[in-house]
Amino acid sequence: ASSVWREAASGTVLTERGTMKRQRAADEDTSFLGFIPVQVGPASPYARNVRHWMRTILIIQAVVCGCRFVFFKDFSGGFWMALLCCTGLYAWSQDMNITWICCWGLGCAFNGLFDALALILPLLLNLITLSWIMIPIRAMVPLSELLGAAFAWHLYHDYFKTGGGATGAGGALESYIEDLPDPMGKIIDEVDPTDYGSVAAGLKARGMDLDKGREALDQGRDALQQRAKQGAAAFQEFGHQQGERLHQQQERLQEQLHSQWDQQSAPQSQQPQRQPRPDQSPFSTHSQQPRMRQQAPCC
């Protein structure tokens, strides 16, 4: 009985060790470079259903890349963009491999930011000498790259919802990713790039959303203007009241100064007269000099 128990215990320990090793290996295979997931098995059904979206974005990027070589003579930028197109094409050919899609999306994000700066700085510095016809074509470069980055971010979201990251292997990263916004989620779900009608409907819906946003901004601006007017009227009323109060204080101060001045400059007649001495006639002058007898003129 003891031997049987020992064999059962050793088998349980081996099973637990094997499970722990497999779990550790699975945890090590769930990410690459810390946050980029490694594709284990086939892609999610949703990622396969949006293959046409990625194909359309890659075609747009390839056309823009050709324009950089032909029209702009930007060979260094065109080379990096061609490398991005090759990376995206490889991810698309590998059954929407999430690892390569993340690498493609990161490359598109970094390249799009640099190309956006390269577009904005000349506009600010050399606004007069630029060709206005080439500006929309140059703007297509960062727009196409940022479009690819947004699409890769959407598939990254889907990986943690319906793909391999939905099994809980992502841990804290999974809950953090789910709380982040997904700007292209609604567009990809509602619009089919191969169908002109759905594209027109999607653009119309986005236009309606923009109109609603514009109306909300207008209402907010009107409310701010109304509050500003009320604040200005209240401030003006407060300033008027303070001005009246200061004016009244100034009038009181002037009255006090006038009264003090009148008291100090009162006439001599209003002051009390001194009483004459008993041996002095009231009609005598203050100087008691003897009167000089007038002599008659000589005849």
Side-chain angles (χ1 to χ4, degrees), residues 169-208:
L173 182 62
E174 179 180 355
S175 59
Y176 178 73
I177 293 298
E178 290 178 355
D179 296 335
L180 295 177
D182 183 13
M184 282 197 67
K186 186 180 293 186
I187 298 175
I188 294 175
D189 294 337
E190 295 177 356
V191 178
D192 184 5
T194 60
D195 186 7
Y196 175 77
S198 65
V199 173
L203 292 176
K204 185 177 180 181
R206 297 288 84 74
M208 294 176 64

Side-chain angles (χ1 to χ4, degrees), residues 32-240:
F32 175 70
L33 293 179
F35 59 92
I36 298 179
V38 175
Q39 182 73 51
V40 179
S44 64
Y46 180 81
R48 290 179 175 178
N49 290 333
V50 293
R51 284 172 60 91
H52 58 289
W53 260 100
M54 189 169 182
R55 183 178 64 247
T56 304
I57 295 173
L58 288 174
I59 292 173
I60 295 173
Q61 289 183 351
V63 172
V64 174
C65 181
C67 292
R68 295 184 76 168
F69 280 111
V70 176
F71 296 104
F72 304 145
K73 308 299 181 181
D74 185 7
F75 297 104
S76 61
F79 171 76
W80 287 110
M81 194 168 186
L83 186 61
L84 286 177
C85 294
C86 293
T87 305
L89 182 61
Y90 181 77
W92 179 80
S93 64
Q94 294 296 316
D95 196 18
M96 303 294 289
N97 189 287
I98 189 63
T99 306
W100 288 103
I101 287 176
C102 290
C103 294
W104 171 65
L106 284 174
C108 288
F110 284 110
N111 226 30
L113 291 177
F114 284 116
D115 287 333
L117 290 176
L119 175 66
I120 293 173
L121 291 179
L123 288 177
L124 298 177
L125 299 176
N126 301 321
L127 187 62
I128 301 176
T129 59
L130 285 177
S131 176
W132 293 97
I133 301 176
M134 301 300 291
I135 290 178
I137 303 176
R138 287 184 177 273
M140 288 297 298
V141 176
L143 289 177
S144 62
E145 292 169 342
L146 295 176
L147 180 64
F151 179 75
W153 175 252
H154 176 65
L155 291 183
Y156 192 65
H157 260 263
D158 174 71
Y159 178 80
F160 285 99
K161 289 181 180 179
T162 61
T167 58
L173 182 62
E174 179 180 355
S175 59
Y176 178 73
I177 293 298
E178 290 178 355
D179 296 335
L180 295 177
D182 183 13
M184 282 197 67
K186 186 180 293 186
I187 298 175
I188 294 175
D189 294 337
E190 295 177 356
V191 178
D192 184 5
T194 60
D195 186 7
Y196 175 77
S198 65
V199 173
L203 292 176
K204 185 177 180 181
R206 297 288 84 74
M208 294 176 64
D209 293 339
L210 290 176
D211 292 337
K212 292 180 180 179
R214 192 180 298 109
E215 291 177 359
L217 288 176
D218 292 338
Q219 293 177 359
R221 182 188 59 190
D222 294 339
L224 287 176
Q225 289 179 354
Q226 186 68 22
R227 290 182 181 179
K229 289 180 180 179
Q230 293 177 358
F235 183 76
Q236 186 177 4
E237 181 67 22
F238 176 76
H240 182 67

